[in-house]
Structure formats: structure tokens, C-alpha cells
Amino acid sequence: MMEEEYLSVYKCLGDITRLRILHLLQREPLCVCHIQDVLGEPQPKVSKQLAYLKRHAMIESMRHANWTIYRLPSEPGTFLSQNLKCLESLVFHESVFQEDLKRLKRVDTSAACLS
Amino acid sequence: MMEEEYLSVYKCLGDITRLRILHLLQREPLCVCHIQDVLGEPQPKVSKQLAYLKRHAMIESMRHANWTIYRLPSEPGTFLSQNLKCLESLVFHESVFQEDLKRLKRVDTSAACLS
DNA sequence: CCGGAATATTCCCCAAAGTGCATATTATGT
DNA sequence: ACATAATATGCACTTTGGGGAATATTCCGG
């Protein structure tokens, strides 16, 4: 039997790398290499956490040529949405996430996979 | 260095037993044996999860004669409060938690430790 | 068909968590 | 002091998670 949605969500939110990823994806869909660049974390680590999030239905992915684009679900459950709102207002202003945003802007313009 | 509050909170919320406990404590302070009765879980399990929650500053405790009374913090952080609100509106109506509430009412009246 | 870029997966290690069972601790009443 | 109730802790075990390093896969261009 499947685990309750809310437990999955909380487990997903209990890791800083996953939080950083969700924070980025809340801004826009991104491919792995962009996330990797922004986070400054090794590629396998990023891929694994993306897989973890997808396994728990927190994100979706679509292959686009050589790249895999990840994004928040088209219809995110109420519970997930609520928690993202909560994060937005109480957590995402912290420096870790704001630094990520700065790097995202820089990386985003020179994007090869955004064709 | 200490872990960020929000990560602690999410880790605490990612377990059904701890959620059930928090749900009960949101109603009123309770001693271990009442929680144990309501949850129908073995006493060491309950005690350990209470210890976990306390270690992460999600609850407080005070010894009262033979009993230890647990309760939500007198001044719960904004983040915790927000999440409890979210749970209240989206999760706590589920049957697991409602069944707990029923048992709580039954148990509560015949309380010995509420002197 | 081949080389290279982007991504996913595997293996290994270690730490943390969750649980059952048994035992220790603490406080109470006699 | 002792028995007992309430609670906490310890031990053993299993699972999960997180991370690094290496390797596999997938897809493109030539």
C-alpha cells in the first residue's frame, strides 16, 4: 500500500539539497546541468535527488534532446502547493536560496538547452 | 553547527507516529500513558518519538509527580506554527487522526494524572 | 558507426531512523 | 525499605538515506 502523500512530502522537504532544487524549479523548469551549475554539487548527487523527488511525485521530467527538463507537476497537489507557499514566505529568503537565485540568473542566459 | 530549524521540523513531520502525537498535543498537554493509550502503540515506541520531538525542540515536557506531561512549546516558532496550521487544514481530518481524537475523549475523562 | 555531451545508475560505505524486547530509572504509597 | 506504576534507556536488528567514485546509458552530430 502506498505511503500517504503528506508523509512523502515531508520526507522530500527534509533535505537541503532537495529544498534548493524545489526552490529553483518553482521559478522555472530546468535541466540537470543547470541545476548542477547553480547548486555547485556533483552531477550524480543532483541526479539522485531529482530521482528521489520524482519517485515521490514532487516533480515531473521530460526528455528534450540530450537534456532532461525537470519541473514542478502541472497540477501539484494542494498539500504540496501549500507547503511551497509556506517555504516561500518563511524559508526561501535565506541566503542559501538567494545565492542560488543569483547564480541561476547568470547561468540561465547562456543556456544551450533552451533552444 | 546546528541544523536549520526548518529541516528539523520537516524531519519531525515525516513520520506518522510523530504526526499523531503532535496532533494530540495540539489539543492539550498529555502524559505518556495517555498518548500511549490513544495511539495503541507500545510504550517504548511512544517514549522514543517523544524524545525525538523534544530533542528537536518541537515539544516541551515537565515532570508532574509520577507522570511526564508533554505539550507544544509555549512559544512555538513561526515555522512550526505555520506547519501545524497547514496540517490542521489539510491533513488532520484524515481518519487516523480522527480516530485518535475519539479515543482521546474516552481516555481523558478517567484520567488519574490530571489531578 | 563513432565520439562526446548530458544524464542515470551502480557499488560501497556510513550514519541515522524505526521497532521490538528487555531492563533501568524515578517517584509514589504503604 | 519495598512493591508498583510511569517513564526512559539500552541493545540488536533492519531499512533508509546521503554521498563519493566509477560506470552505464542515451542522444546528438558528424
Side-chain angles (χ1 to χ4, degrees):
Chain A
M1 157 168 143
M2 212 192 131
E3 193 183 50
E4 297 291 342
E5 185 205 6
Y6 50 89
L7 288 180
S8 287
V9 172
Y10 284 136
K11 283 173 186 170
C12 287
L13 301 183
D15 176 82
I16 185 60
T17 305
R18 292 194 288 266
L19 275 189
R20 290 172 73 194
I21 292 176
L22 289 170
H23 171 240
L24 292 179
L25 294 185
Q26 206 179 15
R27 265 60 188 180
E28 55 185 317
L30 289 168
C31 68
V32 181
C33 56
H34 283 174
I35 301 177
Q36 179 187 348
D37 286 349
V38 171
L39 299 193
E41 299 281 359
Q43 180 267 323
K45 178 170 174 178
V46 174
S47 265
K48 275 183 210 169
Q49 298 298 1
L50 285 168
Y52 185 107
L53 288 170
K54 187 177 179 186
R55 201 185 320 137
H56 291 83
M58 305 275 295
I59 57 178
E60 293 173 349
S61 72
M62 42 179 283
R63 195 91 193 203
H64 183 279
N66 219 338
W67 301 274
T68 308
I69 312 290
Y70 284 93
R71 59 172 187 193
L72 295 186
S74 33
E75 6 85 9
T78 316
F79 189 67
L80 176 53
S81 314
Q82 274 303 115
N83 277 286
L84 288 175
K85 265 185 209 165
C86 183
L87 280 162
E88 192 61 44
S89 64
L90 294 179
V91 173
F92 283 162
H93 61 81
E94 302 226 355
S95 58
V96 209
F97 304 102
Q98 291 304 312
E99 295 298 321
D100 283 349
L101 274 195
K102 289 181 196 167
R103 277 189 297 272
L104 176 61
K105 278 176 198 167
R106 252 180 279 145
V107 131
D108 216 15
T109 51
S110 58
C113 63
L114 296 180
S115 50
Chain B
M1 159 168 141
M2 212 193 132
E3 192 182 51
E4 297 292 343
E5 185 204 4
Y6 51 88
L7 289 180
S8 285
V9 171
Y10 284 136
K11 283 173 186 169
C12 286
L13 301 183
D15 175 83
I16 186 60
T17 306
R18 290 194 289 264
L19 276 189
R20 290 172 75 194
I21 291 175
L22 289 170
H23 171 242
L24 292 180
L25 294 185
Q26 207 179 15
R27 266 58 188 180
E28 53 185 321
L30 289 168
C31 66
V32 181
C33 57
H34 283 174
I35 302 177
Q36 178 187 350
D37 285 349
V38 171
L39 299 191
E41 299 281 359
Q43 180 266 322
K45 178 170 176 179
V46 174
S47 265
K48 278 179 201 170
Q49 298 297 3
L50 285 168
Y52 186 106
L53 288 170
K54 188 178 177 185
R55 201 184 320 137
H56 291 83
M58 306 275 294
I59 58 177
E60 295 172 349
S61 72
M62 43 180 280
R63 196 89 193 205
H64 184 280
N66 220 337
W67 301 275
T68 307
I69 312 291
Y70 284 92
R71 59 172 188 195
L72 296 185
S74 33
E75 6 85 10
T78 317
F79 189 66
L80 176 51
S81 314
Q82 275 302 115
N83 277 286
L84 288 175
K85 266 185 208 164
C86 184
L87 281 162
E88 191 62 42
S89 66
L90 295 178
V91 173
F92 283 162
H93 61 79
E94 303 227 353
S95 59
V96 209
F97 304 101
Q98 291 304 311
E99 295 298 322
D100 283 349
L101 273 196
K102 288 180 198 167
R103 277 188 297 272
L104 177 61
K105 278 175 200 166
R106 251 180 281 143
V107 131
D108 216 13
T109 50
S110 59
C113 64
L114 295 181
S115 50

